[in-house]
Amino acid sequence: MHASIFRPLAVITTLASLAAAGTVHASLINGGFETSTGTPFVADGTWALAHENNVAGWETTATDNQIEIWGNNYSSVSGGPVPAYEGRQFAEINANQFAALYQDVFGIAAGSIVGFEFAHRGRSGVDTLQMTITDLGVDNLLGGGNDTVLFSRNYSTGNTAWALYTSSGEAPISALGNATRFSYQAISTANGSPSVGNFIDAANFGVGVRAVPEPGSIALLALGLAGLGLRRRRR
């Protein structure tokens, strides 16, 4: 009995994953902070400040427009060398002040279920960021009076290892059809310094990214697979 229950569920998960993987959707750009222009590549064991215009895809709320990029295995204030979660570079949300890194994603149709994933790590100890997904309304501008927060949560991580956070297990996040802002806001750092903390890497967001299939779709798939099983047994 248990085998007949779990096999359809496994097939449902596989079908949902294949359907998502086979479709191209709007998503984040340069989620691993590997691409920059106008400044040299950040070599392993080093770090650099770059103007937001020189970091593909990303913008910052910092008034000096600076984004801090670390190369693989640069040694932090404490905790030793920090390897990139993926690739050879990653970012620190705080460059010279408490700030947020964000992107505005366009082209996601209303009603689409979106998901996310990102890697987070503290620098001197436990750091906390707030990840927020906001529909910007018909004017596609933050603060226009018609914004809708679709998801927001704080994540706290120590400095001994990266943690990968995803939308798996969250309630479905449904896009409203306008520009969607995906942002990481530094909330606190272990030592309280505005220029220290909250490493981020491997960010991804969009349709089919760790998204939970809509309940209706799951039910239809389950019914179809159950019917297929009955037909096979009758033969």
PDB file of all heavy atoms in Angstrom, residues 173-209:
ATOM      1  N   ILE A 173       4.078  31.568  -3.753  1.00  0.00           N
ATOM      2  CA  ILE A 173       4.196  33.010  -3.944  1.00  0.00           C
ATOM      3  C   ILE A 173       3.728  33.324  -5.357  1.00  0.00           C
ATOM      4  O   ILE A 173       4.370  32.936  -6.339  1.00  0.00           O
ATOM      5  CB  ILE A 173       5.652  33.475  -3.739  1.00  0.00           C
ATOM      6  CG1 ILE A 173       6.161  33.024  -2.365  1.00  0.00           C
ATOM      7  CG2 ILE A 173       5.766  34.985  -3.896  1.00  0.00           C
ATOM      8  CD1 ILE A 173       7.668  33.175  -2.191  1.00  0.00           C
ATOM      9  N   SER A 174       2.616  34.016  -5.486  1.00  0.00           N
ATOM     10  CA  SER A 174       1.995  34.261  -6.784  1.00  0.00           C
ATOM     11  C   SER A 174       2.298  35.672  -7.276  1.00  0.00           C
ATOM     12  O   SER A 174       2.024  36.658  -6.586  1.00  0.00           O
ATOM     13  CB  SER A 174       0.482  34.056  -6.685  1.00  0.00           C
ATOM     14  OG  SER A 174      -0.130  34.234  -7.940  1.00  0.00           O
ATOM     15  N   ALA A 175       2.887  35.777  -8.476  1.00  0.00           N
ATOM     16  CA  ALA A 175       3.194  37.082  -9.066  1.00  0.00           C
ATOM     17  C   ALA A 175       1.911  37.802  -9.464  1.00  0.00           C
ATOM     18  O   ALA A 175       0.894  37.179  -9.780  1.00  0.00           O
ATOM     19  CB  ALA A 175       4.098  36.911 -10.278  1.00  0.00           C
ATOM     20  N   LEU A 176       1.972  39.133  -9.470  1.00  0.00           N
ATOM     21  CA  LEU A 176       0.809  39.953  -9.817  1.00  0.00           C
ATOM     22  C   LEU A 176       0.900  40.544 -11.213  1.00  0.00           C
ATOM     23  O   LEU A 176      -0.010  41.236 -11.661  1.00  0.00           O
ATOM     24  CB  LEU A 176       0.627  41.062  -8.786  1.00  0.00           C
ATOM     25  CG  LEU A 176       0.413  40.612  -7.333  1.00  0.00           C
ATOM     26  CD1 LEU A 176       0.185  41.820  -6.427  1.00  0.00           C
ATOM     27  CD2 LEU A 176      -0.750  39.640  -7.229  1.00  0.00           C
ATOM     28  N   GLY A 177       2.040  40.314 -11.881  1.00  0.00           N
ATOM     29  CA  GLY A 177       2.164  40.742 -13.276  1.00  0.00           C
ATOM     30  C   GLY A 177       2.911  42.035 -13.506  1.00  0.00           C
ATOM     31  O   GLY A 177       3.142  42.422 -14.647  1.00  0.00           O
ATOM     32  N   ASN A 178       3.302  42.725 -12.429  1.00  0.00           N
ATOM     33  CA  ASN A 178       4.088  43.950 -12.569  1.00  0.00           C
ATOM     34  C   ASN A 178       5.559  43.635 -12.318  1.00  0.00           C
ATOM     35  O   ASN A 178       5.931  42.481 -12.114  1.00  0.00           O
ATOM     36  CB  ASN A 178       3.589  45.002 -11.574  1.00  0.00           C
ATOM     37  CG  ASN A 178       2.104  45.255 -11.706  1.00  0.00           C
ATOM     38  OD1 ASN A 178       1.620  45.656 -12.767  1.00  0.00           O
ATOM     39  ND2 ASN A 178       1.348  45.022 -10.634  1.00  0.00           N
ATOM     40  N   ALA A 179       6.399  44.656 -12.352  1.00  0.00           N
ATOM     41  CA  ALA A 179       7.799  44.444 -11.986  1.00  0.00           C
ATOM     42  C   ALA A 179       7.851  43.930 -10.546  1.00  0.00           C
ATOM     43  O   ALA A 179       7.085  44.371  -9.687  1.00  0.00           O
ATOM     44  CB  ALA A 179       8.581  45.741 -12.121  1.00  0.00           C
ATOM     45  N   THR A 180       8.758  42.998 -10.292  1.00  0.00           N
ATOM     46  CA  THR A 180       8.886  42.398  -8.966  1.00  0.00           C
ATOM     47  C   THR A 180      10.278  42.683  -8.426  1.00  0.00           C
ATOM     48  O   THR A 180      11.279  42.348  -9.070  1.00  0.00           O
ATOM     49  CB  THR A 180       8.661  40.873  -9.030  1.00  0.00           C
ATOM     50  OG1 THR A 180       7.396  40.609  -9.637  1.00  0.00           O
ATOM     51  CG2 THR A 180       8.686  40.267  -7.644  1.00  0.00           C
ATOM     52  N   ARG A 181      10.338  43.331  -7.259  1.00  0.00           N
ATOM     53  CA  ARG A 181      11.640  43.626  -6.635  1.00  0.00           C
ATOM     54  C   ARG A 181      12.009  42.508  -5.675  1.00  0.00           C
ATOM     55  O   ARG A 181      11.255  42.146  -4.778  1.00  0.00           O
ATOM     56  CB  ARG A 181      11.624  44.965  -5.897  1.00  0.00           C
ATOM     57  CG  ARG A 181      12.957  45.255  -5.171  1.00  0.00           C
ATOM     58  CD  ARG A 181      13.129  46.707  -4.818  1.00  0.00           C
ATOM     59  NE  ARG A 181      13.183  47.545  -6.017  1.00  0.00           N
ATOM     60  CZ  ARG A 181      13.513  48.834  -6.018  1.00  0.00           C
ATOM     61  NH1 ARG A 181      13.818  49.446  -4.871  1.00  0.00           N
ATOM     62  NH2 ARG A 181      13.529  49.515  -7.145  1.00  0.00           N
ATOM     63  N   PHE A 182      13.204  41.988  -5.872  1.00  0.00           N
ATOM     64  CA  PHE A 182      13.764  40.923  -5.046  1.00  0.00           C
ATOM     65  C   PHE A 182      14.949  41.524  -4.315  1.00  0.00           C
ATOM     66  O   PHE A 182      15.932  41.920  -4.942  1.00  0.00           O
ATOM     67  CB  PHE A 182      14.191  39.774  -5.961  1.00  0.00           C
ATOM     68  CG  PHE A 182      14.651  38.543  -5.259  1.00  0.00           C
ATOM     69  CD1 PHE A 182      13.755  37.555  -4.910  1.00  0.00           C
ATOM     70  CD2 PHE A 182      15.982  38.365  -4.958  1.00  0.00           C
ATOM     71  CE1 PHE A 182      14.181  36.397  -4.280  1.00  0.00           C
ATOM     72  CE2 PHE A 182      16.427  37.220  -4.320  1.00  0.00           C
ATOM     73  CZ  PHE A 182      15.519  36.227  -3.985  1.00  0.00           C
ATOM     74  N   SER A 183      14.865  41.665  -2.978  1.00  0.00           N
ATOM     75  CA  SER A 183      15.916  42.400  -2.268  1.00  0.00           C
ATOM     76  C   SER A 183      16.403  41.685  -1.024  1.00  0.00           C
ATOM     77  O   SER A 183      15.669  40.925  -0.384  1.00  0.00           O
ATOM     78  CB  SER A 183      15.415  43.796  -1.882  1.00  0.00           C
ATOM     79  OG  SER A 183      14.443  43.718  -0.860  1.00  0.00           O
ATOM     80  N   TYR A 184      17.687  41.955  -0.701  1.00  0.00           N
ATOM     81  CA  TYR A 184      18.309  41.479   0.528  1.00  0.00           C
ATOM     82  C   TYR A 184      18.701  42.705   1.346  1.00  0.00           C
ATOM     83  O   TYR A 184      19.569  43.489   0.934  1.00  0.00           O
ATOM     84  CB  TYR A 184      19.564  40.663   0.220  1.00  0.00           C
ATOM     85  CG  TYR A 184      19.326  39.446  -0.641  1.00  0.00           C
ATOM     86  CD1 TYR A 184      19.620  39.474  -2.004  1.00  0.00           C
ATOM     87  CD2 TYR A 184      18.819  38.279  -0.099  1.00  0.00           C
ATOM     88  CE1 TYR A 184      19.418  38.362  -2.798  1.00  0.00           C
ATOM     89  CE2 TYR A 184      18.607  37.156  -0.892  1.00  0.00           C
ATOM     90  CZ  TYR A 184      18.917  37.206  -2.233  1.00  0.00           C
ATOM     91  OH  TYR A 184      18.711  36.107  -3.027  1.00  0.00           O
ATOM     92  N   GLN A 185      18.085  42.881   2.506  1.00  0.00           N
ATOM     93  CA  GLN A 185      18.348  44.017   3.378  1.00  0.00           C
ATOM     94  C   GLN A 185      19.157  43.554   4.582  1.00  0.00           C
ATOM     95  O   GLN A 185      18.770  42.608   5.278  1.00  0.00           O
ATOM     96  CB  GLN A 185      17.030  44.628   3.862  1.00  0.00           C
ATOM     97  CG  GLN A 185      17.164  45.678   4.954  1.00  0.00           C
ATOM     98  CD  GLN A 185      17.672  47.007   4.423  1.00  0.00           C
ATOM     99  OE1 GLN A 185      17.143  47.507   3.431  1.00  0.00           O
ATOM    100  NE2 GLN A 185      18.659  47.580   5.083  1.00  0.00           N
ATOM    101  N   ALA A 186      20.302  44.185   4.839  1.00  0.00           N
ATOM    102  CA  ALA A 186      21.071  43.875   6.040  1.00  0.00           C
ATOM    103  C   ALA A 186      20.317  44.393   7.262  1.00  0.00           C
ATOM    104  O   ALA A 186      19.984  45.572   7.335  1.00  0.00           O
ATOM    105  CB  ALA A 186      22.453  44.510   5.957  1.00  0.00           C
ATOM    106  N   ILE A 187      20.025  43.513   8.205  1.00  0.00           N
ATOM    107  CA  ILE A 187      19.299  43.882   9.415  1.00  0.00           C
ATOM    108  C   ILE A 187      20.247  44.082  10.591  1.00  0.00           C
ATOM    109  O   ILE A 187      20.178  45.079  11.308  1.00  0.00           O
ATOM    110  CB  ILE A 187      18.241  42.817   9.771  1.00  0.00           C
ATOM    111  CG1 ILE A 187      17.230  42.676   8.631  1.00  0.00           C
ATOM    112  CG2 ILE A 187      17.533  43.160  11.086  1.00  0.00           C
ATOM    113  CD1 ILE A 187      16.439  43.931   8.350  1.00  0.00           C
ATOM    114  N   SER A 188      21.163  43.139  10.786  1.00  0.00           N
ATOM    115  CA  SER A 188      22.124  43.247  11.882  1.00  0.00           C
ATOM    116  C   SER A 188      23.366  42.436  11.553  1.00  0.00           C
ATOM    117  O   SER A 188      23.335  41.535  10.715  1.00  0.00           O
ATOM    118  CB  SER A 188      21.509  42.753  13.198  1.00  0.00           C
ATOM    119  OG  SER A 188      21.210  41.371  13.123  1.00  0.00           O
ATOM    120  N   THR A 189      24.458  42.789  12.214  1.00  0.00           N
ATOM    121  CA  THR A 189      25.706  42.046  12.064  1.00  0.00           C
ATOM    122  C   THR A 189      26.233  41.683  13.445  1.00  0.00           C
ATOM    123  O   THR A 189      25.884  42.306  14.449  1.00  0.00           O
ATOM    124  CB  THR A 189      26.762  42.881  11.315  1.00  0.00           C
ATOM    125  OG1 THR A 189      27.028  44.080  12.049  1.00  0.00           O
ATOM    126  CG2 THR A 189      26.266  43.255   9.931  1.00  0.00           C
ATOM    127  N   ALA A 190      27.097  40.691  13.492  1.00  0.00           N
ATOM    128  CA  ALA A 190      27.580  40.175  14.773  1.00  0.00           C
ATOM    129  C   ALA A 190      28.308  41.229  15.602  1.00  0.00           C
ATOM    130  O   ALA A 190      28.175  41.266  16.826  1.00  0.00           O
ATOM    131  CB  ALA A 190      28.498  38.976  14.533  1.00  0.00           C
ATOM    132  N   ASN A 191      29.065  42.109  14.948  1.00  0.00           N
ATOM    133  CA  ASN A 191      29.812  43.117  15.701  1.00  0.00           C
ATOM    134  C   ASN A 191      29.195  44.504  15.621  1.00  0.00           C
ATOM    135  O   ASN A 191      29.749  45.471  16.148  1.00  0.00           O
ATOM    136  CB  ASN A 191      31.269  43.160  15.237  1.00  0.00           C
ATOM    137  CG  ASN A 191      31.434  43.694  13.827  1.00  0.00           C
ATOM    138  OD1 ASN A 191      30.454  44.004  13.148  1.00  0.00           O
ATOM    139  ND2 ASN A 191      32.677  43.795  13.383  1.00  0.00           N
ATOM    140  N   GLY A 192      28.044  44.624  14.956  1.00  0.00           N
ATOM    141  CA  GLY A 192      27.345  45.901  14.914  1.00  0.00           C
ATOM    142  C   GLY A 192      27.886  46.914  13.936  1.00  0.00           C
ATOM    143  O   GLY A 192      27.312  47.997  13.791  1.00  0.00           O
ATOM    144  N   SER A 193      28.958  46.584  13.233  1.00  0.00           N
ATOM    145  CA  SER A 193      29.553  47.540  12.303  1.00  0.00           C
ATOM    146  C   SER A 193      28.739  47.618  11.020  1.00  0.00           C
ATOM    147  O   SER A 193      28.368  46.592  10.448  1.00  0.00           O
ATOM    148  CB  SER A 193      30.987  47.129  11.965  1.00  0.00           C
ATOM    149  OG  SER A 193      31.502  47.935  10.912  1.00  0.00           O
ATOM    150  N   PRO A 194      28.469  48.829  10.524  1.00  0.00           N
ATOM    151  CA  PRO A 194      27.715  48.979   9.278  1.00  0.00           C
ATOM    152  C   PRO A 194      28.492  48.559   8.043  1.00  0.00           C
ATOM    153  O   PRO A 194      27.918  48.430   6.958  1.00  0.00           O
ATOM    154  CB  PRO A 194      27.403  50.479   9.240  1.00  0.00           C
ATOM    155  CG  PRO A 194      28.491  51.104  10.027  1.00  0.00           C
ATOM    156  CD  PRO A 194      28.804  50.136  11.130  1.00  0.00           C
ATOM    157  N   SER A 195      29.797  48.346   8.174  1.00  0.00           N
ATOM    158  CA  SER A 195      30.600  47.968   7.006  1.00  0.00           C
ATOM    159  C   SER A 195      31.024  46.506   7.050  1.00  0.00           C
ATOM    160  O   SER A 195      31.884  46.089   6.281  1.00  0.00           O
ATOM    161  CB  SER A 195      31.846  48.871   6.915  1.00  0.00           C
ATOM    162  OG  SER A 195      32.689  48.665   8.026  1.00  0.00           O
ATOM    163  N   VAL A 196      30.430  45.737   7.932  1.00  0.00           N
ATOM    164  CA  VAL A 196      30.834  44.342   8.098  1.00  0.00           C
ATOM    165  C   VAL A 196      29.603  43.444   8.065  1.00  0.00           C
ATOM    166  O   VAL A 196      28.614  43.714   8.748  1.00  0.00           O
ATOM    167  CB  VAL A 196      31.590  44.137   9.436  1.00  0.00           C
ATOM    168  CG1 VAL A 196      31.846  42.646   9.668  1.00  0.00           C
ATOM    169  CG2 VAL A 196      32.898  44.905   9.434  1.00  0.00           C
ATOM    170  N   GLY A 197      29.667  42.384   7.256  1.00  0.00           N
ATOM    171  CA  GLY A 197      28.690  41.328   7.431  1.00  0.00           C
ATOM    172  C   GLY A 197      27.693  41.063   6.330  1.00  0.00           C
ATOM    173  O   GLY A 197      27.510  41.852   5.417  1.00  0.00           O
ATOM    174  N   ASN A 198      27.041  39.891   6.463  1.00  0.00           N
ATOM    175  CA  ASN A 198      26.001  39.406   5.563  1.00  0.00           C
ATOM    176  C   ASN A 198      26.527  39.111   4.158  1.00  0.00           C
ATOM    177  O   ASN A 198      26.315  39.873   3.216  1.00  0.00           O
ATOM    178  CB  ASN A 198      24.823  40.385   5.505  1.00  0.00           C
ATOM    179  CG  ASN A 198      23.907  40.272   6.706  1.00  0.00           C
ATOM    180  OD1 ASN A 198      23.309  39.231   6.936  1.00  0.00           O
ATOM    181  ND2 ASN A 198      23.810  41.352   7.478  1.00  0.00           N
ATOM    182  N   PHE A 199      27.231  37.972   4.043  1.00  0.00           N
ATOM    183  CA  PHE A 199      27.686  37.519   2.734  1.00  0.00           C
ATOM    184  C   PHE A 199      26.518  36.894   1.987  1.00  0.00           C
ATOM    185  O   PHE A 199      25.670  36.216   2.578  1.00  0.00           O
ATOM    186  CB  PHE A 199      28.799  36.483   2.882  1.00  0.00           C
ATOM    187  CG  PHE A 199      30.057  37.011   3.495  1.00  0.00           C
ATOM    188  CD1 PHE A 199      30.661  36.352   4.555  1.00  0.00           C
ATOM    189  CD2 PHE A 199      30.662  38.153   2.997  1.00  0.00           C
ATOM    190  CE1 PHE A 199      31.836  36.829   5.110  1.00  0.00           C
ATOM    191  CE2 PHE A 199      31.834  38.645   3.546  1.00  0.00           C
ATOM    192  CZ  PHE A 199      32.427  37.977   4.616  1.00  0.00           C
ATOM    193  N   ILE A 200      26.484  37.077   0.669  1.00  0.00           N
ATOM    194  CA  ILE A 200      25.407  36.542  -0.164  1.00  0.00           C
ATOM    195  C   ILE A 200      26.004  35.962  -1.450  1.00  0.00           C
ATOM    196  O   ILE A 200      26.949  36.527  -2.011  1.00  0.00           O
ATOM    197  CB  ILE A 200      24.364  37.646  -0.484  1.00  0.00           C
ATOM    198  CG1 ILE A 200      23.102  37.041  -1.069  1.00  0.00           C
ATOM    199  CG2 ILE A 200      24.923  38.720  -1.337  1.00  0.00           C
ATOM    200  CD1 ILE A 200      22.168  36.516  -0.030  1.00  0.00           C
ATOM    201  N   ASP A 201      25.452  34.841  -1.903  1.00  0.00           N
ATOM    202  CA  ASP A 201      25.943  34.199  -3.121  1.00  0.00           C
ATOM    203  C   ASP A 201      24.826  33.309  -3.673  1.00  0.00           C
ATOM    204  O   ASP A 201      23.840  33.017  -2.991  1.00  0.00           O
ATOM    205  CB  ASP A 201      27.185  33.348  -2.799  1.00  0.00           C
ATOM    206  CG  ASP A 201      28.028  33.039  -4.036  1.00  0.00           C
ATOM    207  OD1 ASP A 201      27.668  33.481  -5.143  1.00  0.00           O
ATOM    208  OD2 ASP A 201      29.057  32.347  -3.884  1.00  0.00           O
ATOM    209  N   ALA A 202      24.973  32.895  -4.912  1.00  0.00           N
ATOM    210  CA  ALA A 202      24.088  31.914  -5.550  1.00  0.00           C
ATOM    211  C   ALA A 202      22.614  32.282  -5.449  1.00  0.00           C
ATOM    212  O   ALA A 202      21.766  31.435  -5.169  1.00  0.00           O
ATOM    213  CB  ALA A 202      24.319  30.528  -4.932  1.00  0.00           C
ATOM    214  N   ALA A 203      22.295  33.554  -5.678  1.00  0.00           N
ATOM    215  CA  ALA A 203      20.896  33.995  -5.621  1.00  0.00           C
ATOM    216  C   ALA A 203      20.162  33.625  -6.907  1.00  0.00           C
ATOM    217  O   ALA A 203      20.702  33.755  -8.001  1.00  0.00           O
ATOM    218  CB  ALA A 203      20.840  35.501  -5.399  1.00  0.00           C
ATOM    219  N   ASN A 204      18.936  33.180  -6.756  1.00  0.00           N
ATOM    220  CA  ASN A 204      18.114  32.858  -7.920  1.00  0.00           C
ATOM    221  C   ASN A 204      16.661  33.130  -7.570  1.00  0.00           C
ATOM    222  O   ASN A 204      16.247  32.942  -6.426  1.00  0.00           O
ATOM    223  CB  ASN A 204      18.298  31.404  -8.333  1.00  0.00           C
ATOM    224  CG  ASN A 204      17.828  31.141  -9.763  1.00  0.00           C
ATOM    225  OD1 ASN A 204      17.417  32.053 -10.480  1.00  0.00           O
ATOM    226  ND2 ASN A 204      17.894  29.896 -10.183  1.00  0.00           N
ATOM    227  N   PHE A 205      15.902  33.585  -8.553  1.00  0.00           N
ATOM    228  CA  PHE A 205      14.504  33.925  -8.334  1.00  0.00           C
ATOM    229  C   PHE A 205      13.766  33.859  -9.662  1.00  0.00           C
ATOM    230  O   PHE A 205      14.284  34.277 -10.690  1.00  0.00           O
ATOM    231  CB  PHE A 205      14.392  35.346  -7.761  1.00  0.00           C
ATOM    232  CG  PHE A 205      12.998  35.914  -7.794  1.00  0.00           C
ATOM    233  CD1 PHE A 205      12.026  35.452  -6.934  1.00  0.00           C
ATOM    234  CD2 PHE A 205      12.672  36.899  -8.710  1.00  0.00           C
ATOM    235  CE1 PHE A 205      10.735  35.963  -6.973  1.00  0.00           C
ATOM    236  CE2 PHE A 205      11.383  37.425  -8.757  1.00  0.00           C
ATOM    237  CZ  PHE A 205      10.413  36.954  -7.886  1.00  0.00           C
ATOM    238  N   GLY A 206      12.558  33.335  -9.647  1.00  0.00           N
ATOM    239  CA  GLY A 206      11.754  33.305 -10.864  1.00  0.00           C
ATOM    240  C   GLY A 206      10.780  32.149 -10.862  1.00  0.00           C
ATOM    241  O   GLY A 206      10.644  31.420  -9.879  1.00  0.00           O
ATOM    242  N   VAL A 207      10.106  31.966 -11.981  1.00  0.00           N
ATOM    243  CA  VAL A 207       9.163  30.863 -12.131  1.00  0.00           C
ATOM    244  C   VAL A 207       9.939  29.554 -12.236  1.00  0.00           C
ATOM    245  O   VAL A 207      10.899  29.452 -12.987  1.00  0.00           O
ATOM    246  CB  VAL A 207       8.288  31.071 -13.382  1.00  0.00           C
ATOM    247  CG1 VAL A 207       7.335  29.894 -13.566  1.00  0.00           C
ATOM    248  CG2 VAL A 207       7.510  32.374 -13.278  1.00  0.00           C
ATOM    249  N   GLY A 208       9.541  28.563 -11.453  1.00  0.00           N
ATOM    250  CA  GLY A 208      10.212  27.269 -11.492  1.00  0.00           C
ATOM    251  C   GLY A 208      11.434  27.164 -10.612  1.00  0.00           C
ATOM    252  O   GLY A 208      12.055  26.101 -10.560  1.00  0.00           O
ATOM    253  N   VAL A 209      11.801  28.235  -9.888  1.00  0.00           N
ATOM    254  CA  VAL A 209      12.945  28.189  -8.974  1.00  0.00           C
ATOM    255  C   VAL A 209      12.443  27.768  -7.597  1.00  0.00           C
ATOM    256  O   VAL A 209      11.839  28.571  -6.879  1.00  0.00           O
ATOM    257  CB  VAL A 209      13.651  29.556  -8.883  1.00  0.00           C
ATOM    258  CG1 VAL A 209      14.821  29.476  -7.911  1.00  0.00           C
ATOM    259  CG2 VAL A 209      14.122  30.005 -10.252  1.00  0.00           C
TER     260      VAL A 209
END
